[in-house]
């Protein structure tokens, strides 16, 4: 049976590249030092939500509420207990680097104060395992899992108290893990967290207010909270970056950055209104995060439209935020059409932007269209408008239904095309330094866990959470080991799955 499956895989890979992927390239075409990896986050991978002193996060609370769409126990990978196995799979695949996150409620269960020794030991063991196998860890400090204790105490990100608490949490991580970690991302996609969690109310903590949002929110203010939350996230990031530079950088020689969710955006029609709306949407989505980090303030169009609802930086805060990121982490999945939209309401992020986001082509949550030029557009835009800073692609991948075939040729096509677009961008002068595929294995996905992005299939019905490589895992391993050409190198790519 194994031999039959290998033959089928080789045939499918040959078909994928002969029919769909005409542009061959190899890892060796990228600059020396460029890193390739994969990724997951603590909440989506670890499981063990009530073990060894971990406290609930706002996602735990949401998933066990009437609005929740399941339980983390139904979709976690049990990485807390299987981390050694998973790191070995990473090594056998040939990853240069791996992006992971630290669970704040596992490390500091109360959000501040005492460190949980068992949580500390887990992350030390995980990082030691990665180091032992020569895999470079890229660590995100906050990937959506805010301790529920801080949400209950003062509202989490809507209160400036969180700046000090987040900085203190970060310092524990720098002090305890900094000898192994040289690349820190402070906050994962703050623009999507602020928009989805505090305006639309579709993700925890489910804040919104009528007439905006989902209608299922019992608290919040869609007109002001998204802007307040992102403002506090930027200040928390900048405070953390300053701490690292003052106390740790000289002896650990690492770097601190932040991520930004980045649709590429194109006008829906050739009308002047849609063209103007597209630039406005870029300022609201990308400039909201990147502009203060480069220029010390939000884009002028945001100041003009949002007015007094948009918080202001003091002179000291502006100086603190400006140039506080050593790199930008880009999270990109797909491209959107932008259509000018004159909202009948005024006063939340959507209506302030006055633009409708329309999926390009046949893109859905089940299958994104393969639009690699969209990622090129994002990287070129950052290069042209923000001084060509160092960039890491920290998430890029394609979802499929969890129960679909492990022969995920569509994902292979997607990855081949998008990695090729990164190479083209680098050759065109973008200072992009790494690419991280999302995700290494099937995870509990935040929006809908029925869809997954994994290179490895995880059987969530199996108490052992068995991992099985998909066709995309074979392809990515072949690429990481030197070539995308098939079948010349496919035999070596299969070795890691036969042990």
């Amino acid at each position: 049976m194994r031999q039959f499956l290998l033959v089928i895989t080789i045939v499918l890979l040959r078909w994928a590249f002969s029919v769909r992927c005409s542009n061959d390239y190899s890892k060796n075409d990228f600059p020396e030092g460029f890193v390739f990896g994969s990724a997951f986050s603590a909440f989506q991978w670890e499981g063990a939500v009530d073990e060894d002193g971990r406290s609930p996060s706002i996602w735990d609370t949401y998933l066990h509420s009437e609005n929740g769409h399941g339980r983390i126990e139904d979709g976690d990978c049990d990485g807390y207990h299987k981390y050694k196995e998973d790191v070995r799979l990473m090594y056998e695949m040939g990853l240069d680097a791996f992006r992971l996150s630290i669970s704040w409620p596992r490390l500091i269960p109360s959000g501040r104060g005492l460190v949980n020794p068992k949580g500390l030991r887990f992350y030390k063991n995980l990082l030691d395992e990665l180091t032992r196998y020569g895999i470079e860890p890229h660590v995100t400090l906050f990937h959506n899992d805010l301790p529920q204790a801080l949400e209950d105490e003062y509202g989490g990100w809507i209160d400036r108290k969180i700046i000090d608490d987040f900085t203190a949490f970060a310092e524990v991580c720098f002090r305890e893990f900094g000898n192994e970690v040289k690349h820190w991302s402070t906050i994962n996609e703050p623009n999507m967290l602020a928009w989805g969690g505090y305006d639309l109310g579709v993700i925890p903590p489910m804040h919104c207010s009528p007439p905006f949002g989902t209608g299922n929110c019992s608290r919040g203010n869609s007109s002001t909270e998204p802007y307040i939350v992102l403002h506090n996230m930027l200040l928390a990031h900048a405070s953390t970056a300053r701490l690292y530079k003052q106390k740790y950088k000289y002896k650990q020689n690492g770097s601190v950055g932040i991520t930004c969710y980045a649709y590429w955006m194109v006008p829906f029609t050739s009308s002047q209104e849609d063209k103007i709306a597209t630039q406005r949407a870029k300022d609201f989505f990308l400039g909201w995060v990147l502009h203060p980090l480069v220029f010390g303030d939000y884009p002028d169009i945001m100041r003009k439209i949002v007015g007094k609802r948009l918080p202001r930086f003091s002179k000291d805060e502006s100086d603190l935020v400006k140039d506080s990121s050593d790199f930008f982490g880009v999270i990109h999945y797909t491209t959107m059409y932008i259509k000018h939209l004159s909202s009948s309401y005024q006063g939340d992020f959507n209506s302030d932007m006055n633009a409708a986001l329309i999926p390009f082509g046949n893109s859905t949550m089940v299958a994104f269209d393969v639009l690699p030029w969209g990622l090129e557009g994002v990287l070129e835009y950052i290069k042209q408008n923000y001084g060509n800073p160092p960039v890491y692609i920290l998430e890029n991948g394609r979802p499929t239904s969890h129960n679909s075939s492990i022969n995920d040729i569509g994902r292979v096509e997607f990855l081949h095309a998008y990695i090729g677009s990164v190479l083209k961008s680098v050759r065109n002068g973008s200072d992009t330094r790494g690419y991280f595929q999302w995700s290494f294995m099937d995870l509990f996905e935040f929006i809908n866990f029925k869809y997954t992005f994994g290179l490895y299939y995880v059987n969530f019905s199996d108490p052992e959470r068995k991992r099985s490589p998909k066709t995309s895992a074979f392809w990515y391993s072949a690429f990481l080991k030197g070539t995308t050409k098939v079948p010349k190198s496919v035999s070596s790519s299969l070795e890691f799955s036969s042990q």
Side-chain angles (χ1 to χ4, degrees), residues 162-333:
I162 201 165
I163 298 169
D164 289 339
D165 286 341
F166 181 79
T167 305
F169 160 61
E171 179 159 26
V172 172
C173 296
F174 296 152
R175 183 181 70 238
E176 299 293 343
F177 313 132
N179 290 333
E180 289 77 30
V181 180
K182 306 305 176 188
H183 297 85
W184 298 95
S185 296
T186 52
I187 299 170
N188 184 68
E189 54 188 43
N191 49 349
M192 294 302 283
L193 290 180
W195 182 40
Y198 297 85
D199 178 8
L200 302 179
V202 294
I203 58 174
M206 301 286 290
H207 284 209
C208 64
S209 60
F212 313 108
T214 65
N216 293 324
C217 303
S218 60
R219 55 182 176 166
N221 186 327
S222 295
S223 295
T224 59
E225 285 189 3
Y227 301 114
I228 293 169
V229 162
L230 191 131
H231 194 75
N232 289 340
M233 288 180 174
L234 288 174
L235 292 174
H237 156 79
S239 171
T240 297
R242 177 177 61 184
L243 169 73
Y244 186 81
K245 290 171 183 177
Q246 289 177 345
K247 285 189 69 173
Y248 297 96
K249 189 176 182 68
Y250 73 95
K251 56 184 176 181
Q252 296 179 356
N253 197 31
S255 59
V256 176
I258 195 170
T259 75
C260 183
Y261 192 96
Y263 292 120
W264 186 232
M265 305 175 190
V266 296
F268 186 62
T269 71
S270 60
S271 71
Q272 191 66 15
E273 278 190 334
D274 284 356
K275 292 178 181 178
I276 294 172
T278 300
Q279 182 57 50
R280 188 167 62 243
K282 291 174 183 176
D283 284 330
F284 267 73
F285 270 101
L286 302 178
W288 195 16
V289 177
L290 302 184
H291 229 72
L293 297 170
V294 175
F295 304 112
D297 200 3
Y298 299 108
D300 289 342
I301 190 66
M302 291 191 74
R303 284 264 170 239
K304 179 179 178 181
I305 293 174
V306 183
K308 293 181 179 179
R309 290 179 290 116
L310 187 63
R312 290 194 172 273
F313 297 105
S314 69
K315 177 62 168 61
D316 288 344
E317 289 171 343
S318 179
D319 292 341
L320 178 67
V321 171
K322 184 179 179 181
D323 298 324
S324 59
S325 271
D326 297 320
F327 63 87
F328 292 153
V330 167
I331 295 175
H332 173 82
Y333 289 96

Side-chain angles (χ1 to χ4, degrees), residues 398-411:
R398 191 182 202 187
T400 56
S401 171
H402 179 253
N403 293 321
S404 61
S405 171
I406 63 172
N407 293 318
D408 54 345
I409 293 298
R411 182 172 287 115

Side-chain angles (χ1 to χ4, degrees), residues 387-453:
N388 200 19
V391 167
Y392 289 88
I393 312 299
L394 291 181
E395 290 184 27
N396 177 246
R398 191 182 202 187
T400 56
S401 171
H402 179 253
N403 293 321
S404 61
S405 171
I406 63 172
N407 293 318
D408 54 345
I409 293 298
R411 182 172 287 115
V412 172
E413 179 187 12
F414 185 97
L415 294 176
H416 182 273
Y418 277 80
I419 294 173
S421 75
V422 175
L423 177 59
K424 184 175 179 180
S425 295
V426 169
R427 288 172 170 169
N428 287 335
S430 171
D431 192 11
T432 302
R433 301 183 179 184
Y435 173 91
F436 291 75
Q437 175 271 345
W438 184 271
S439 55
F440 184 66
M441 62 183 61
D442 292 342
L443 303 171
F444 183 94
E445 286 299 330
F446 283 119
I447 301 302
N448 192 329
F449 67 82
K450 293 181 181 179
Y451 302 113
T452 54
F453 292 74

Side-chain angles (χ1 to χ4, degrees), residues 13-74:
L13 283 167
R14 181 186 288 119
W15 175 80
F17 287 96
S18 64
V19 176
R20 300 188 178 191
C21 302
S22 59
N23 297 320
D24 281 334
Y25 58 85
S26 78
K27 181 181 178 183
N28 296 329
D29 291 316
F30 286 81
E32 184 178 356
F34 192 99
V35 298
F36 284 94
S38 188
F40 51 54
S41 78
F43 182 81
Q44 294 168 282
W45 169 72
E46 288 177 7
V49 294
D50 55 0
E51 291 186 37
D52 291 344
R54 180 189 180 275
S55 68
S57 73
I58 58 174
W59 267 94
D60 295 282
T61 302
Y62 163 66
L63 290 172
H64 287 86
S65 72
E66 61 181 23
N67 291 324
H69 56 248
R71 303 178 305 145
I72 184 61
E73 295 91 338
D74 296 328

